[in-house]
Amino acid sequence: MEKSWWKESVVYQIYPRSFNDSNGDGIGDLKGITNKLDYLKELGIDVIWLSPVYQSPNDDNGYDISDYRAIMDEFGTMADFDELLSEMHQRGMKLMMDLVVNHTSDEHEWFKQARSSKDNPYRDYYYWRPGKNGQEPNNWESVFSGSAWEYDEKTEEYYLHLFSKKQPDLNWENRKVREEVYETMKFWLDKGIDGFRMDVINFISKVPGLPNGEKILGKKYVSGANFYMNGPKIHEYLQEMNQEVLAKYDIMTVGEMPGVDVEMAKQYTGENRNELNMVFQFEHVDLDSGPKGKWDLKDLNFHDFKASFTKWQKGLEGVGWNSLYLNNHDQPRMVSRFGDDKEYWKESAKMLATFLHFLQGTPYIYQGEELGMTNVRFDSIDDYKDIEILNMYKEKIGESDSDHQQIMESIYVKGRDNARTPMQWNDENHGGFTSGTPWIKVNPNYKEINAKQQLTDEDSIFHYYKKLIQLRKQHDIIVYGTYDLILPDHNEIFAYTRTLGEEKLLIILNFSKENSFFELPKEIQFSNKELLISNYEVNPTDSIEKITLLPFEARVYKLFI
Ligand code: NOJ
């Protein structure tokens, strides 16, 4: 397997709006990030992935871009950006930017031109279609509820928007669109940035003819995902992008790809395919959704969880590369979702971190995860800001069998604003995020959960993450070792080994609130062992043949043959 810096790195994701506000307007900004670089250096991360900071009317918090080469006013100026990049590089950190090119904002100059007349040269930058019998051109549903088409009075046609109506989809069939994107990428790469996270990049190739999705009784709009996820020209476009841009720089790339499976991921990330380094797949974060999608709550089946991770670990081994994440700005907080955010808050946050950082792949930490930040429950729908939540609420509350409390429950469990409450820096007003009024309320638990407290407490989740990151730097096997699941049928324990040459790691994790019994499989032989990390006090010399694990206990041993 080839060695690469991006395989050895730990990435930290910043959602700038919620990270740190330096000027008291209630919105996080670039200077705010620069002011916190020493905190991130202390944590030990290598790369920052910055969610979009470009000019945007903020219909979807920056994922609707109106100018790819300008900084959003609320976030600061290009000089602030240059300063951030240079301060990061001085500290040996790299910067990965978000690239959002499946769609632009409807306030982007290209779209303003495009909608002005049917024969405008920019018209074909987007998908425009006449209606069919006074209806939308097809029955596709937007990811943010309702139709994926918006009628435009002026030219009497519809345009396609897979996300909000302020996010029209770009037409990648048009060579000019692709060239504009490549030039934009070079603009940022020539400034010295170190990579791109590519937003829903497997949506850019649509099936020609844009056929109807399968009819569902009683539903007007249905998923057209089969016709735009992993579409017919996706590999052609990515290889072209690679050849024209990516291959010319020493950078890291990760493609966000809902609906990707392992076989496809081998193609996207295969070492000699010249596409991307890795993808964000969604299988493990879809396991707790029912057939009606993310708001259709379902209990997580632990065996499915183990099987899914194992499939991805074994599938990409020696072929491509995994990205490892349990939360981000679109997902609920991992300790609330996969752990226990009450009695075993600290133990389960550390256990989940151990799980992720010892898998093969590049780990991604989402801001506040290193403090064990949790989901939030706001009483009023008015305290929520996310367009996905608000659109869903509006749609569902209008249905005849609607139940306000049930909708709120699904928001508490799955809503994206769980991840977007301000970073909790200290126990002062608004968790130290802003001296003004924050754009979204802080989680009321900031008095107990905050960075200031955890920096001074050696036993904190923060210090545990720091140790995990250091271990990765000290042991090649954590990055490059192969993965094998052990005890596949165990109901509470997720245990696996990593192997590199003569070395082996044994990772033992109790995913439950109860004590759980572990017995070492006979085939794992060793003469000596070293305890690398654990989330409870453990006597390193205790035998490991039989262990009664405490709730959410995690242990990692290095075994010597
Ligand atoms: C995925 C992003 O992560 C999400 O935040 C955004 O709403 C959609 N893509 C649309 O850009």
Side-chain angles (χ1 to χ4, degrees):
M1 191 189 307
E2 260 177 55
K3 292 199 162 187
S4 314
W5 62 263
W6 46 265
K7 293 181 180 170
E8 293 165 15
S9 294
V10 174
V11 183
Y12 187 93
Q13 182 193 353
I14 291 184
Y15 194 67
R17 209 173 173 77
S18 304
F19 189 65
N20 187 32
D21 174 21
S22 73
N23 63 357
D25 66 355
I27 297 172
D29 46 46
L30 293 175
K31 271 195 196 310
I33 300 172
T34 307
N35 293 344
K36 294 292 183 185
L37 288 179
D38 288 334
Y39 166 84
L40 297 174
K41 188 70 197 162
E42 166 82 17
L43 181 59
I45 53 102
D46 308 284
V47 178
I48 291 176
W49 152 26
L50 201 53
S51 278
V53 294
Y54 316 97
Q55 195 65 256
S56 161
N58 280 310
D59 192 49
D60 186 20
N61 289 353
Y63 283 91
D64 49 321
I65 297 169
S66 52
D67 184 346
Y68 287 106
R69 298 185 192 207
I71 298 292
M72 191 191 299
D73 294 335
E74 287 115 317
F75 289 172
T77 62
M78 193 57 93
D80 296 336
F81 176 84
D82 292 339
E83 188 192 6
L84 170 63
L85 182 60
S86 131
E87 290 289 328
M88 283 181 62
H89 283 165
Q90 272 174 42
R91 288 171 178 77
M93 295 177 192
K94 294 186 190 296
L95 178 61
M96 180 162 69
M97 300 278 280
D98 221 305
L99 183 75
V100 188
V101 289
N102 173 67
H103 43 266
T104 66
S105 162
D106 66 339
E107 297 183 33
H108 194 290
E109 187 55 33
W110 302 336
F111 191 75
K112 287 191 198 158
Q113 293 278 342
R115 80 185 330 172
S116 68
S117 79
K118 279 189 183 162
D119 52 15
N120 186 283
Y122 286 94
R123 185 76 170 178
D124 194 37
Y125 271 42
Y126 297 88
Y127 284 93
W128 291 96
R129 296 288 184 276
K132 275 193 187 150
N133 314 320
Q135 303 257 336
E136 291 88 351
N138 70 21
N139 64 4
W140 294 2
E141 182 177 36
S142 150
V143 176
F144 293 159
S145 306
S147 170
W149 295 94
E150 180 72 8
Y151 186 66
D152 195 64
E153 299 275 340
K154 174 134 201 244
T155 54
E156 299 180 324
E157 281 189 337
Y158 291 83
Y159 64 86
L160 177 69
H161 61 89
L162 294 179
F163 293 88
S164 98
K165 62 181 179 204
K166 286 184 68 63
Q167 292 168 300
D169 278 55
L170 281 167
N171 173 17
W172 275 68
E173 299 273 340
N174 183 342
R175 162 107 222 145
K176 284 205 205 114
V177 167
R178 306 205 298 277
E179 275 164 9
E180 299 257 23
V181 169
Y182 304 152
E183 287 312 307
T184 306
M185 293 171 78
K186 287 187 207 152
F187 169 83
W188 290 99
L189 289 166
D190 292 339
K191 270 184 173 286
I193 69 155
D194 306 286
F196 286 112
R197 173 267 186 191
M198 303 183 188
D199 193 70
V200 289
I201 199 70
N202 64 331
F203 286 16
I204 58 177
S205 165
K206 277 86 173 163
V207 168
L210 313 179
N212 271 327
E214 212 172 308
K215 227 155 168 48
I216 300 176
L217 204 62
K219 270 204 95 174
K220 187 164 177 209
Y221 306 115
V222 303
S223 170
N226 288 345
F227 303 114
Y228 58 77
M229 279 179 184
N230 311 301
K233 292 200 181 152
I234 184 67
H235 296 294
E236 184 186 317
Y237 294 157
L238 289 176
Q239 282 169 12
E240 180 184 87
M241 177 197 281
N242 190 297
Q243 205 179 345
E244 303 223 354
V245 187
L246 306 177
K248 300 184 175 149
Y249 303 83
D250 177 23
I251 53 168
M252 124 176 219
T253 55
V254 50
E256 188 210 21
M257 298 199 177
V260 71
D261 66 21
V262 185
E263 288 313 309
M264 295 173 197
K266 285 184 189 168
Q267 297 193 302
Y268 287 124
T269 71
E271 294 207 335
N272 43 28
R273 296 231 351 136
N274 301 322
E275 295 187 20
L276 301 174
N277 295 149
M278 59 192 116
V279 301
F280 285 133
Q281 54 99 2
F282 281 65
E283 204 176 275
H284 61 295
V285 290
D286 286 340
L287 292 174
D288 54 2
S289 296
K292 290 194 216 124
K294 86 177 248 185
W295 305 109
D296 182 10
L297 306 182
K298 182 178 132 189
D299 284 342
L300 180 73
N301 176 317
F302 183 52
H303 292 285
D304 293 347
F305 185 81
K306 281 209 259 192
S308 172
F309 273 96
T310 301
K311 181 168 65 179
W312 281 86
Q313 288 287 298
K314 293 313 282 180
L316 294 189
E317 204 165 86
V319 182
W321 194 248
N322 272 290
S323 68
L324 306 169
Y325 75 97
L326 286 174
N327 50 199
N328 59 36
H329 66 293
D330 293 330
Q331 299 289 335
R333 290 282 178 182
M334 77 183 204
V335 68
S336 303
R337 187 180 197 177
F338 302 109
D340 171 16
D341 60 12
K342 304 208 164 55
E343 195 178 351
Y344 296 107
W345 163 71
K346 194 194 274 189
E347 292 79 5
S348 65
K350 290 180 180 177
M351 185 281 286
L352 291 166
T354 317
F355 164 61
L356 209 72
H357 284 248
F358 279 94
L359 290 171
Q360 191 186 71
T362 301
Y364 288 74
I365 301 170
Y366 177 65
Q367 68 185 37
E369 173 189 330
E370 77 282 14
L371 307 174
M373 278 178 62
T374 68
N375 282 353
V376 73
R377 294 171 74 94
F378 294 135
D379 293 334
S380 164
I381 186 69
D382 299 334
D383 288 329
Y384 288 90
K385 306 291 171 203
D386 173 25
I387 181 160
E388 183 188 37
I389 294 178
L390 298 176
N391 282 3
M392 179 280 283
Y393 183 87
K394 254 183 257 150
E395 187 174 273
K396 293 228 153 121
I397 207 76
E399 289 169 3
S400 53
D401 57 349
S402 73
D403 176 40
H404 167 80
Q405 206 42 46
Q406 204 181 334
I407 307 175
M408 292 307 284
E409 280 307 320
S410 66
I411 295 173
Y412 295 154
V413 176
K414 287 287 187 64
R416 304 196 298 182
D417 281 340
N418 282 308
R420 299 177 180 186
T421 59
M423 180 74 178
Q424 293 165 208
W425 293 107
N426 56 42
D427 61 4
E428 288 156 35
N429 240 353
H430 309 304
F433 162 71
T434 180
S435 57
T437 307
W439 69 276
I440 185 170
K441 282 186 180 168
V442 70
N443 189 319
N445 65 17
Y446 69 91
K447 295 223 183 238
E448 296 82 53
I449 302 179
N450 63 67
K452 186 165 175 221
Q453 186 279 328
Q454 296 203 20
L455 281 166
T456 56
D457 172 7
E458 280 297 316
D459 184 44
S460 66
I461 300 171
F462 178 91
H463 280 279
Y464 194 88
Y465 268 82
K466 190 172 159 180
K467 184 156 182 207
L468 285 172
I469 297 168
Q470 279 166 1
L471 283 170
R472 192 179 181 84
K473 310 276 173 256
Q474 293 155 2
H475 302 270
D476 251 15
I477 185 172
I478 299 178
V479 180
Y480 295 108
T482 52
Y483 163 98
D484 287 288
L485 181 70
I486 58 175
L487 308 178
D489 302 322
H490 203 295
N491 290 328
E492 296 97 29
I493 294 179
F494 199 145
Y496 57 92
T497 58
R498 303 285 307 281
T499 308
L500 187 68
E502 292 292 290
E503 287 184 350
K504 210 178 253 313
L505 295 177
L506 172 66
I507 296 96
I508 312 170
L509 311 155
N510 180 4
F511 267 71
S512 82
K513 283 187 184 124
E514 316 294 331
N515 288 357
S516 188
F517 184 67
F518 170 87
E519 189 165 1
L520 189 69
K522 299 265 174 306
E523 39 316 341
I524 301 182
Q525 307 266 330
F526 61 96
S527 58
N528 230 329
K529 65 176 191 300
E530 180 193 341
L531 180 70
L532 289 190
I533 192 164
S534 64
N535 63 349
Y536 283 87
E537 290 259 333
V538 172
N539 180 347
T541 60
D542 277 357
S543 151
I544 58 168
E545 268 69 25
K546 292 184 167 60
I547 311 172
T548 300
L549 294 170
L550 297 171
F552 296 104
E553 181 162 356
R555 299 186 191 188
V556 180
Y557 290 96
K558 190 161 187 181
L559 304 179
F560 303 92
I561 317 279

